Amino acid sequence: MIKKIKYLLKLLRPHQYIKNTFVLAGVLFSRQWDIYTLLQAAWAFCAFSLSASAVYILNDLSDIEADRAHPKKRYRPLPSGKVSITVARKLAIILFLATFIPTLLLKDWILVSIMLTYIVMNIAYSLCLKHIVLLDVFVISMGFMLRLLAGTWGIGIAPSEWLLLCGMMLTLFLGFCKRTSELLQSAMADDTFAEKSRRVLTEYNTAMLEQFTSITAACAIISFGLYTVSDQTIRTQGTSNLIYTLPLVIYGIFRYLFLLHRHGKGTDTAKDLFTDRHLLLTGSCWVAMTLVILICQ
């Protein structure tokens, strides 16, 4: 029984919920820290966590044959047979329903629309969009943008255009890093894996991905820097000191590139963040420094 629960938890991938902290960015930078807004943001985070787990299950179901040929993914609960396809399907349906019921009861139609868009988009991604070059990464990025919108429009906060641009560029950067890592793994794997792995990888090459990661990394850094010194941000926050958090952002991106090219990381961003002490410390320092700057104003 304990082992079964363990495999079900692996299928849900709770460590990936850290990605849903994008939902909280709007609240952090809006300074709307009243109890009602915080509760709304907390629910939006939970809703995305439930739907994200359902989407992971759906994606694993569609990729089950390819994952069985993968040197690492073949040990996942579904391709390894530790969790049956029937159980996985039932669990996905339960999670999808659990995502919408509380939101519908609260009649938060904007959040409902955002969640529905996220789910439909990911179903389309699992079925066909992940096989279309460039669009596959843009869909991943759009998932993060919907998280940002859920934590802003979804709970009545006006989003900053610079913050949205920074979020898009950062997530495109992470998406192209993921494809780079997968391409490097496929180059080192056997023919079976190369044949059954992501078909879209045949459309990419390392030189192309190197350009994409460089461009998106630079744009993410510049857009965040411009956000911290924009007139709107200074008026809202009452300070221009957020610019002093920029070196941590730059270091974090450079560290991620180092892990990608020197240690073969990049396939699982959440796992990389938790297992690399430099990234974990950098992220923690950025959050702490941001909070101190905002609270002290």
Side-chain angles (χ1 to χ4, degrees):
M1 185 63 181
I2 295 176
K3 282 188 175 181
K4 191 172 183 179
I5 294 174
K6 178 183 175 182
Y7 290 126
L8 286 174
L9 286 174
K10 282 187 175 181
L11 186 65
L12 298 178
R13 299 182 209 172
H15 71 285
Q16 297 284 1
Y17 294 167
I18 192 172
K19 296 177 181 178
N20 299 326
T21 54
F22 270 68
V23 173
L24 308 177
V27 177
L28 175 63
F29 290 107
S30 70
R31 300 180 68 88
Q32 293 182 219
W33 299 341
D34 57 279
I35 296 297
Y36 180 70
T37 303
L38 292 175
L39 288 175
Q40 281 186 304
W43 167 243
F45 177 89
C46 293
F48 263 101
S49 297
L50 292 170
S51 61
S53 286
V55 166
Y56 287 134
I57 294 173
L58 182 65
N59 202 43
D60 284 352
L61 285 168
S62 66
D63 283 348
I64 191 168
E65 292 301 324
D67 287 349
R68 283 172 178 161
H70 194 281
K72 294 181 180 179
K73 293 181 180 181
R74 62 186 177 187
Y75 298 111
R76 286 180 176 178
L78 275 174
S80 65
K82 302 296 184 182
V83 176
S84 69
I85 293 176
T86 302
V87 170
R89 285 174 177 167
K90 290 179 179 178
L91 186 56
I93 292 172
I94 292 171
L95 290 170
F96 278 134
L97 292 175
T99 298
F100 283 105
I101 291 174
T103 309
L104 289 170
L105 291 175
L106 292 172
K107 296 183 179 180
D108 190 344
W109 303 118
I110 295 178
L111 185 57
V112 168
S113 300
I114 292 172
M115 296 303 306
L116 187 60
T117 302
Y118 175 79
I119 290 172
V120 171
M121 182 183 70
N122 276 281
I123 291 174
Y125 175 83
S126 295
L127 295 177
C128 62
L129 295 182
K130 65 184 177 183
H131 302 305
I132 303 175
V133 66
L134 293 180
L135 189 58
D136 60 324
V137 176
F138 272 82
V139 171
I140 294 173
S141 175
M142 185 55 66
F144 284 95
M145 298 307 293
L146 289 172
R147 289 172 170 89
L148 280 173
L149 292 175
T152 50
W153 280 339
I155 59 177
I157 297 173
S160 164
E161 291 82 1
W162 282 116
L163 196 59
L164 290 175
L165 178 61
C166 179
M168 182 177 70
M169 289 301 162
L170 179 61
T171 52
L172 284 173
F173 164 74
L174 294 174
F176 286 124
C177 283
K178 181 179 175 68
R179 288 294 177 266
T180 301
S181 179
E182 291 172 340
L183 188 65
L184 292 174
Q185 286 184 14
S186 68
M188 295 185 293
D190 56 27
D191 293 337
T192 304
F193 170 63
E195 179 183 347
K196 293 185 177 181
S197 183
R198 294 184 186 275
R199 298 198 300 269
V200 75
L201 291 180
T202 61
E203 302 291 336
Y204 289 109
N205 61 54
T206 52
M208 180 197 306
L209 288 169
E210 190 72 28
Q211 292 186 52
F212 292 159
T213 53
S214 298
I215 292 169
T216 51
C219 288
I221 292 169
I222 292 170
S223 57
F224 180 75
L226 291 173
Y227 165 73
T228 63
V229 297
S230 70
D231 292 337
Q232 181 186 9
T233 301
I234 294 173
R235 284 196 305 269
T236 303
Q237 309 300 344
T239 179
S240 59
N241 290 336
L242 284 172
I243 188 66
Y244 297 115
T245 66
L246 183 58
L248 292 171
V249 174
I250 298 172
Y251 178 81
I253 289 176
F254 286 1
R255 177 68 185 181
Y256 199 78
L257 286 170
F258 168 77
L259 293 174
L260 171 68
H261 291 289
R262 295 291 293 173
H263 295 279
K265 304 291 184 179
T267 303
D268 190 333
T269 304
K271 187 176 180 180
D272 295 339
L273 179 60
F274 283 122
T275 55
D276 183 72
R277 289 179 296 176
H278 292 264
L279 279 180
L280 189 58
L281 181 61
T282 302
S284 300
C285 288
W286 181 85
V287 172
M289 191 172 177
T290 301
L291 285 172
V292 169
I293 291 172
L294 295 178
I295 291 171
C296 290
Q297 298 306 314

